[in-house]
Amino acid sequence: VEAPEKTKFSENQLIILKALAKAEGAKLTLVDLLRVTAVPQNEFDEILAMLMVKGLVAQELIEGNKLQLVLTARGEQQLKKISK
C-alpha cells in the first residue's frame, strides 16, 4: 500500500490560498484578491477556477450583490498540511 501523495500546489496557487487565509474572515473580493496576490490575471482566473473546483475556495454573496471569495475549511486543511 502506497502512502497518499501530498497535495502539490504551484507557487501562484499557494499565493492565492495564503492571501485568503491572511484576510479578515478569510474572505476577499475578487478585485482585492487579484491586487494583493499580484498574480497575472490570465493565470489568476484559471488558478481560481481550479481551486474552486477542488473545493478549496468558494464564492459568497454579501450585501445582496457583492461577491466575495472565501477560503473553505478544506482549503484551510490543505494549507495546514503544507505548512508542516
Side-chain angles (χ1 to χ4, degrees):
V1 178
E2 289 182 33
E5 190 177 318
K6 249 187 155 179
T7 305
K8 291 189 172 99
F9 292 102
S10 73
E11 187 177 337
N12 284 340
Q13 289 170 334
L14 283 174
I15 288 169
I16 291 172
L17 290 172
K18 287 178 180 179
L20 278 171
K22 289 178 187 173
E24 185 180 333
K27 301 175 185 182
L28 283 171
T29 65
L30 182 65
V31 172
D32 288 340
L33 184 58
L34 186 59
R35 182 177 43 78
V36 298
T37 60
V39 173
Q41 183 152 10
N42 58 337
E43 287 180 50
F44 180 88
D45 294 340
E46 196 175 303
I47 292 167
L48 186 61
M50 192 270 311
L51 293 173
M52 292 173 80
V53 166
K54 289 185 173 186
L56 306 177
V57 175
Q59 293 179 335
E60 187 177 272
L61 273 177
I62 58 166
E63 299 168 12
N65 64 351
K66 193 174 179 185
L67 190 65
Q68 276 195 326
L69 297 161
V70 183
L71 183 67
T72 65
R74 186 175 183 178
E76 285 181 48
Q77 288 174 342
Q78 291 296 323
L79 273 177
K80 285 178 185 168
K81 284 181 187 178
I82 293 165
S83 299
K84 288 183 179 178

